[in-house]
Amino acid sequence: MKALSPYSPAPSFTTLIRRPSFPRLLPFHSVAVQCAYGPETFSVQNGVGLSRADWQSSCAILASNVVSEQQSAGGGGGGVVASVNGHKTNVENLNLVPIGKISDTYQITKPQPKPLTITDFSPAPMHGEKLRVAYQGVPGAYSEAAAGKAYPNCEAIPCDQFEVAFQAVELWIADRAVLPVENSLGGSIHRNYDLLLRHRLHIVGEVQFPVHHCLLALPGVRKEYLNRVISHPQALAQCELTLTKLGLNVTREAVDDTAGAAEYIAANNLLNTAAIASARAAELYGLQVIADGIQDDSSNVTRFVMLARDPIIPRTDRPFKTSIVFAHDKGTSALFKVLSAFAFRNISLTKIESRPHRNCPIRLVDDANVGTAKHFEYMFYVDFEASMAETRAQNALAEVQEFTSFLRVLGSYPMDMTPWSPSGGH
Ligand SMILES: O=C(O)C(=O)C[C@]1(C(=O)O)C=C[C@@H](O)C=C1
């Protein structure tokens, strides 16, 4: 049986019934609490004669964030009926760890804030439950593999659009979303930068994932028969030179994701079409690998960020990165001033990206003598190598604020420091 501990997440309640045992005659209220804890259901009933201490500790453990009402003290021994997944047991047999005394006056209230534990400092859950991670694409997509790298044993949830992956987290259907933001060959995935700004999720981690592309077609198809290659636009861009070198006389067509391209060929029995996708997609959709490793550079890497509803608490005991987005103020050299706030503090910038400022894309500057200048306005996305727990990062941002009309911290999260292996066959 699973042991509850102070490090376990608060259980969610399914039932809470309270009734006087015998109105006004006995000093106890009988309270039944049933709570769902992962796949198991625990229930504890406070019967007549239950020792108060037993009741308090079992209730404290099972209901650590809900306080229940009990009328008076007294009693002793027995009386606790507990069941785990419907099997009756004594509360002493439950492997429970008391978390302390509950106050004398119990009140049924809404869940209280949970004390921070060491697990809150980690982007990955430490409890036994499977983390649900939303990604765009179908099984076999690189985003699914990136989700598995970030959260081994997670339950990957396919979504047809990136927007849907964001919403899945916002609506608590998923715990995390995994989002590709840039590739070493194809560059930034601009739409995803825009989504980061449009939604309120927090970046809680990153993974750099070696992307190893294959050319896939139906079994028996030879490359001479092909007149079309379909894939995600990033994958097409990453294989542009190699496709030409292979001597293929094909049109290129963009689809939503790489594995979806493979699935489409299989589902429609397309003999003249190949997909650029992973070897795993070939296995899943019964395609053959016509060419392996067709990315234009063997060290082809896509960087993914992991998103959650809540930020993680930044630390200083391992390398952290922080991502911000800002719009600089009008005035001379505002962008230079913003960036120098980092340079003066020896903070390295690892990335800068500009996107149109959608709320105010153009600023007109009239000069009666020479006419009207039209300046494009931008949102700047900057990643820097420091944790928001560091004073130098906090001071840098305080200074940045002076030169910006808008500033948001997208997240402060551990850097992916996994050793480099470009030959990984994903
Ligand atoms: O289509 C997929 O398989 C994806 O996971 C998307 C995506 C991307 O958006 O860049 C991810 C990694 C590769 O760079 C190619 C495509």
Side-chain angles (χ1 to χ4, degrees):
M1 188 201 311
K2 184 193 303 170
L4 297 183
S5 81
Y7 300 108
S8 304
S12 63
F13 276 75
T14 54
T15 325
L16 198 146
I17 314 152
R18 180 174 61 84
R19 56 183 182 272
S21 302
F22 295 100
R24 302 188 196 292
L25 292 180
L26 288 168
F28 287 99
H29 274 186
S30 167
V31 181
V33 178
Q34 198 170 54
C35 59
Y37 184 80
E40 292 166 345
T41 301
F42 294 86
S43 70
V44 170
Q45 187 156 10
N46 180 22
V48 175
L50 166 68
S51 97
R52 185 177 203 202
D54 280 353
W55 164 244
Q56 282 180 347
S57 58
S58 49
C59 199
I61 297 147
L62 293 173
S64 61
N65 62 351
V66 173
V67 184
S68 9
E69 192 174 308
Q70 192 182 24
Q71 209 177 37
S72 69
V80 179
V81 184
S83 68
V84 176
N85 288 339
H87 303 293
K88 293 217 162 155
T89 176
N90 283 328
V91 113
E92 304 85 63
N93 297 337
L94 289 172
N95 192 4
L96 304 174
V97 183
I99 60 164
K101 185 173 160 19
I102 290 188
S103 81
D104 280 350
T105 318
Y106 296 106
Q107 278 182 355
I108 298 172
T109 61
K110 62 181 185 337
Q112 298 300 305
K114 201 164 50 100
L116 282 180
T117 71
I118 193 74
T119 58
D120 295 309
F121 294 172
S122 164
M126 304 295 260
H127 51 84
E129 278 176 39
K130 271 199 168 183
L131 196 81
R132 297 159 307 168
V133 183
Y135 70 96
Q136 195 254 351
V138 296
Y142 297 101
S143 300
E144 183 201 36
K149 178 179 173 187
Y151 303 111
N153 305 320
C154 70
E155 179 193 337
I157 302 177
C159 301
D160 62 354
Q161 299 294 327
F162 287 119
E163 180 90 46
V164 175
F166 276 81
Q167 285 170 3
V169 179
E170 286 163 346
L171 298 173
W172 293 69
I173 294 163
D175 306 301
R176 302 281 187 276
V178 66
L179 185 74
V181 285
E182 57 180 324
N183 172 269
S184 53
L185 288 168
S188 290
I189 300 159
H190 294 131
R191 192 176 137 59
N192 289 348
Y193 278 92
D194 298 341
L195 285 173
L196 283 173
L197 194 59
R198 203 157 352 121
H199 291 263
R200 285 249 149 225
L201 297 181
H202 302 266
I203 303 179
V204 295
E206 67 165 8
V207 286
Q208 292 172 350
F209 192 80
V211 172
H212 184 95
H213 288 302
C214 302
L215 190 67
L216 312 179
L218 285 169
V221 167
R222 300 211 335 238
K223 66 177 180 166
E224 301 79 63
Y225 304 160
L226 299 172
N227 61 21
R228 183 164 74 143
V229 172
I230 60 175
S231 197
H232 186 278
Q234 270 284 337
L236 289 168
Q238 293 160 29
C239 303
E240 180 55 41
L241 299 177
T242 316
L243 285 184
T244 311
K245 274 193 218 145
L246 283 172
L248 297 174
N249 185 16
V250 289
T251 57
R252 285 108 161 116
E253 266 177 44
V255 294
D256 279 346
D257 73 287
T258 56
E263 187 192 31
Y264 181 73
I265 290 172
N268 295 287
N269 204 26
L270 301 175
L271 294 166
N272 61 350
T273 307
I276 298 175
S278 62
R280 179 167 139 75
E283 269 169 45
L284 288 174
Y285 304 109
L287 300 185
Q288 63 159 331
V289 176
I290 291 189
D292 197 356
I294 59 165
Q295 63 280 0
D296 291 342
D297 176 42
S298 62
S299 50
N300 182 34
V301 180
T302 299
R303 179 172 164 248
F304 293 84
V305 290
M306 271 71 69
L307 306 170
R309 286 177 295 275
D310 299 311
I312 55 158
I313 297 171
R315 298 164 62 155
T316 52
D317 58 351
R318 55 176 292 187
F320 258 62
K321 206 182 255 183
T322 300
S323 298
I324 59 169
V325 52
F326 64 85
H328 64 65
D329 256 346
K330 295 173 193 60
T332 327
S333 318
L335 183 57
F336 171 79
K337 287 172 187 160
V338 167
L339 299 184
S340 58
F342 298 101
F344 287 142
R345 294 173 177 86
N346 266 333
I347 299 176
S348 305
L349 305 186
T350 54
K351 161 103 183 160
I352 178 161
E353 182 70 46
S354 61
R355 296 289 301 143
H357 189 319
R358 288 193 164 227
N359 293 341
C360 144
I362 285 189
R363 180 164 45 98
L364 302 178
V365 183
D366 284 317
D367 181 325
N369 296 326
V370 284
T372 306
K374 290 161 278 294
H375 291 301
F376 284 28
E377 293 286 350
Y378 301 100
M379 283 286 178
F380 292 94
Y381 292 78
V382 165
D383 292 344
F384 59 87
E385 274 183 352
S387 160
M388 280 311 293
E390 292 177 63
T391 315
R392 61 183 184 138
Q394 293 159 11
N395 290 343
L397 283 202
E399 194 175 320
V400 164
Q401 229 165 357
E402 290 176 30
F403 307 109
T404 51
S405 55
F406 169 84
L407 172 65
R408 189 169 129 198
V409 176
L410 294 169
S412 195
Y413 48 92
M415 280 165 61
D416 183 355
M417 304 293 284
T418 41
W420 180 234
S421 60
S423 55
H426 300 286

